[in-house]
Amino acid sequence: MCSLALFPPPLPSGHTTLCESNNQLLSRTDINDRITQDSSPPSLHFPRESLKLHSRTESSSKAAFLDHSETLWMRSAAAWRDGGLTGLLNEITNSHTEVPKWLSVSSGCVLALLRWVSSFHGSLFPHLTLSSEDMIAEFSQVLNWSDCVVRAFSWHPHADKFAVALLDDSIKIYNPKSATTPTLKHRLQRSIAAVQWKPLCASALAVACQNCLLVWHVDPCSLSTRPSSGCAQVLSQPGHSPVTSIAWCPSGSLLVSSSPVDTAMIVWDVAAESGVPLQRVGGGGVTFLSWSPDGSHILASTPSALFRVWETRMWTCERWPCVKGRCQSGCWSPDGSRLLFTVQSETVIYSLTFTDIPGVTTSTSRGPQAAAVVADLSETAFSTPDGDIIVGGEIQSMAWDLRGERLAVLLKGDSNAADRPAIIAVFKTRASPIFELLPCGFVQGEPGAEPRLMQFHPNFRDGALLTVCWSNGKITHVPFYFLSASFPQLSFVGKPSPPRLQDGAADFTNQSLFTELIS
Amino acid sequence: QCMTSNISNLGLWESLSACEVCADGNALFHSQVVCWRAVASIAWSVLLLPPTTAVFTFFSKFSFLHPIQTISECISLMTSASAIFSLILVLKDLILSLFSVIPTIACSKIALLAQLLHPRQLVNSLLHCIMGVIVAWCCGVTMGFRYESLGYPCPQSDGLPLMCLNEYQLILLLLGAFVGFSHSLLGVMHNFNYISFHTVQQYKYHRFKGALPLVARCSVTQALYSVRNFVVLYFFLGHVPRAWICQTLNLQLNRSALDSISGLLDFTLLYHLWISATFFLFLWYITLLLFRIFVTEVHSFPVQSSFTDDTPQCLPTVLAEKQPMILKFLALQDLALLSQHSLARRCEVFSLSQPGGHAHNWNAISKECLSLLADLTQRLQAYHDTIATNGRTKSLSSGSERKSSSETSGIFTNNVDLRSLVGEPLTAPFTPDLVSPFASPALRRLATVVDPGSPWYGTVQSPHIMRRGPKLWSTSTGDQSTFLEKLGSYFFKTKTFFFLCVTQVKNFLSKRVLVTYLFNKLPEASSQALFADSQAHIWALEGLSYLVQASFSEDHFGVVQTTLPSILSSMLLLQEAVDRHFKLPHASSKPSRSTSSMEESTYKTLRFALRATLKTAIYRITTTFGDHLKAVQISAEHRKRLQQFLEYKE
């Protein structure tokens, strides 16, 4: 079992991780070091000041207007429209001078009863008392979502382009081959929790918003920089908001969305705009979804200590109760046979294997009996020139590259303590003879920048490319150059080309040993 | 006791009737597959009857003040009432042949009206009315109290016992008839008989459980609307059936009549009416739901069989058959699923026949799928041609050529034209309406290029065209009449006069609002009708693309390679036709979504689903094969298109 103690110590302050080459993570000290990289996509910077934030609060603009007296009927109707039954009851109870006494007293009693019931419900599922913004922040895969400049990021699964969702509720699409960067804005596009491109399609982008699900169709050949909101399909279902997680079927036909409020996850047929709710008792909602790359399983975690693994042929599920907390994050191996997941308030990575029995046409695949611990990420102290720092603890999210060779783990750290930074730990993974995680190193950014969100490029030719969004609004790409063991044909097509450092990197050049070739 | 025997009798009877209907399909296999599903669904709805009745009894007897009394009454009633209730399972599945996997889409209001007035539909409505009355009677008996019987003895002033009319039961029975009738009407308007297939495969139990809240909600709201409409109707017209019943059964009218405001504002009565209506609708909807779930369940066809007796049941054979459409759909669904999920069955598809080494399975399957795609492409092109010429009968392309030749006075050089002119001179210009008995044989012959059986047939002869017809052809009328005057044949003149009259009548009618309203085409309907059976095409596309994708690694004999060019070119052709179709007005406008209804509105969005599936299918092939596709022999134009897909620019 791998632990953090085996890792090389983190870089001293001021060093930035550059890439992995020859089995070694390279870094640079100076930001002004220019690096020529052949195929690396552009790094971006979104300063917080450049974004125009709207100061609009979530509720209504009632406070801005002067109060004037309306009749009770009008006020009741308005309360019913704005706040539903509880709003109406509240209004009647408050205006006890105008209504008969029995009415105000009885509505007060009903209101108290409702509150008592909802508090009971809330004590069963505490997350239901959160506001929708807080709920997204709580269950998002992004670290400290509400304060994040880049709120969501997605690489296109085939083409070389990506979408970035920003704090001001706009989405920008970057394509290195085209000069235009379309900006997507929509009236309903608020509090974006996740974006994902549709596989086997050039144009469709699904966006999980506060009240609904949007599917944008952005024509890649169009020169327009502001596609109209007519290009977006709105998918919504009552009671299914806020949407915190979405997942496309790898074959591109279905989209699954989940909300921590709704106990059902919805499988959308996007073209027909129809959704099938899949409901199971227990859990109190669905927070995080991850579809395995081979399309056979879906991980669906709930706000309570329980997660489910759905099998996508007949849509049956296995229940996996956890001991301590809810399942925080999970990722699948490329062949869909292995699931790695982490549990809130635990510092280990668990592994589950799913084996389909070949030749048997039953729809159910037999799962394992219990999860195995594959890595221990408990807090470890490293001494660096700047003093001791402690790395480890709870895990925010995980990402596994599509060749199954590198696993990136985002550790939460403690934002208040300077010696416990949030950091990305990268593992090498090996599937045979036994599955194991080997230490690779830590990925660090500029001083003061904290990693918030990360994703692997889905088809990087020379290894793996990890894209990291930082707290200061920068998006950088960290390539890992290696020869793939499972895709030998790729290594002959393109020889891995480590970046040519112009200067200041002479000390790395004498360590060029391809140990991966030997192993 | 009595109840169980009744149920078993009923079930048997239903199964017999169902199987009789199925046997019409003249395929034994068909009856095996579809029949048993129908029987099973009916059996399940019979089994679900007692709990439904229990709930109904509970609600009808419920009183806040005496909860314990309510429960004890319910239990005592249940034992006796279920016997009655087992009789009344209302099955519109009696008319199984009405169900179809392809929706019938009315292109104009008049077509909808024609559907509603179709004799079969009338019989259906009548049946529903009768069923409604029977169920209402049973409800009345269960609820007891004042709904029990139609007459009651009332003391007369002279002391003679007389039978008086119990209007409460009458109103309940009439409500039953009304709900039955409106249900059957709504069924036609909302295509209740259309069975859609789901993209998400689930076990029957889960599907049923998932749909149950929807069914309950629908029946409750629909019952509310029905009761409202019924009460309004009864307020105005209630005296007619009441007088008739009184006269027929020789009953007296004793109490004050109920068709007054005070009589109808009886909340207990309204509540009971609403509960009963909910109960009927719930029963019908549940039966419908179960039937849909059972029929659309996946059936796994063997890909090949070693015994010749079983060949009719194999996938390639069933795919190629035309007639039982449901079976063809099931086979296509199975194909799409096997290509996606089952390695072993894909291997069977790619395998070669043992003596001979022919890829019979793959050839049969790919041929059928390709012909489906080609059929749709052709249909779209023909439709587009019709629309593109803006009402002129362009699908009869030679017809328009003839027209132009007649205008450019090339008329005498063309033998065919002259002959047809002499035969029936002016019919063609005046009647683009192809079904008109006056259409010239030439025109009719040309029109048969279009298969009259195909669902879009009705759209060609749109009233739109009919209205435009005279205006468009007016110049030619002048031409031709001068020509006729030159001939000086009064025989022709009379005919001309007659057709001019017809035109004038049409012109006159087209200006009337009601007629325009009835004949105006519903904007999206023609597009919907074109893609009515597109679920088959979607599966064909999925099946083909997944098989081609799998063939990259699994096809050891290279059987797929030989058909790859034709698969690619037919997909690209279809893509072109679909793209062109979506540029037409109304084709890309989305229908409004209706979430809370039993209506199957899937057919309204099939064209979007087809477009998305088509694109995904092409991308699936291009992503799998990548640059290897450059070695495939296809035309230069298609190669250019394919390059767009390879670069992810579509």
Side-chain angles (χ1 to χ4, degrees), chain A residues 158-159 198 200-202 220-221 233 236 251 254 267-269 271-273 276 278 280 313-316 363, chain B residues 198-203 206 209 340-342 546 590 593 605 608-609 612 616 619-620 623 644 648-650:
Chain A
H158 312 287
K198 179 181 176 179
L200 297 178
C201 181
C221 300
Q233 278 177 282
S236 66
S251 64
L254 300 172
V267 185
W268 295 95
D269 183 354
E273 295 191 5
V276 179
L278 296 177
R280 291 292 184 275
R313 205 174 153 197
M314 293 308 284
W315 294 95
T316 52
S363 54
Chain B
H198 277 249
T199 41
V200 175
Q201 304 297 327
Q202 277 181 281
Y203 286 110
H206 289 300
K209 204 181 70 178
Q340 210 172 337
H341 295 295
S342 169
Y546 276 115
K590 297 257 177 191
R593 275 205 298 155
T605 49
F608 301 104
T616 310
Y619 268 121
R620 190 169 292 136
T623 322
Q644 294 273 314
Y648 292 95
K649 282 194 173 161
E650 270 297 319

Side-chain angles (χ1 to χ4, degrees), chain B residues 556-576:
Chain B
H556 303 300
F557 305 109
V559 293
V560 175
Q561 273 180 33
T562 50
T563 30
L564 193 53
S566 58
I567 289 175
L568 277 173
S569 62
S570 68
M571 280 187 184
L572 288 170
L573 274 176
L574 183 58
Q575 162 85 10
E576 226 169 89

Side-chain angles (χ1 to χ4, degrees), chain B residues 149-199:
Chain B
S149 67
L150 206 54
Y152 66 99
C154 51
Q156 284 293 73
S157 51
D158 50 357
L160 278 172
L162 253 172
M163 290 303 275
C164 287
L165 177 73
N166 180 7
E167 204 176 347
Y168 288 105
Q169 206 202 7
L170 178 69
I171 213 170
L172 193 66
L173 295 187
L174 287 178
L175 175 78
F178 181 78
V179 170
F181 184 70
S182 64
H183 177 74
S184 81
L185 278 195
L186 281 179
V188 173
M189 284 163 73
H190 291 165
N191 269 319
F192 277 178
N193 66 337
Y194 166 58
I195 296 167
S196 74
F197 288 81
H198 277 249
T199 41

Side-chain angles (χ1 to χ4, degrees), chain B residues 480-499:
Chain B
Q480 309 238 353
S481 52
T482 50
F483 166 65
L484 286 171
E485 275 165 24
K486 274 180 193 165
L487 277 179
S489 161
Y490 66 91
F491 174 70
F492 284 136
K493 259 186 198 161
T494 49
K495 270 205 163 179
T496 320
F497 178 71
F498 176 70
F499 285 112

Side-chain angles (χ1 to χ4, degrees), chain B residues 1-7 83-84 86:
Chain B
Q1 48 178 55
C2 165
M3 168 187 155
T4 48
S5 70
N6 262 333
I7 287 183
I84 311 167
S86 58

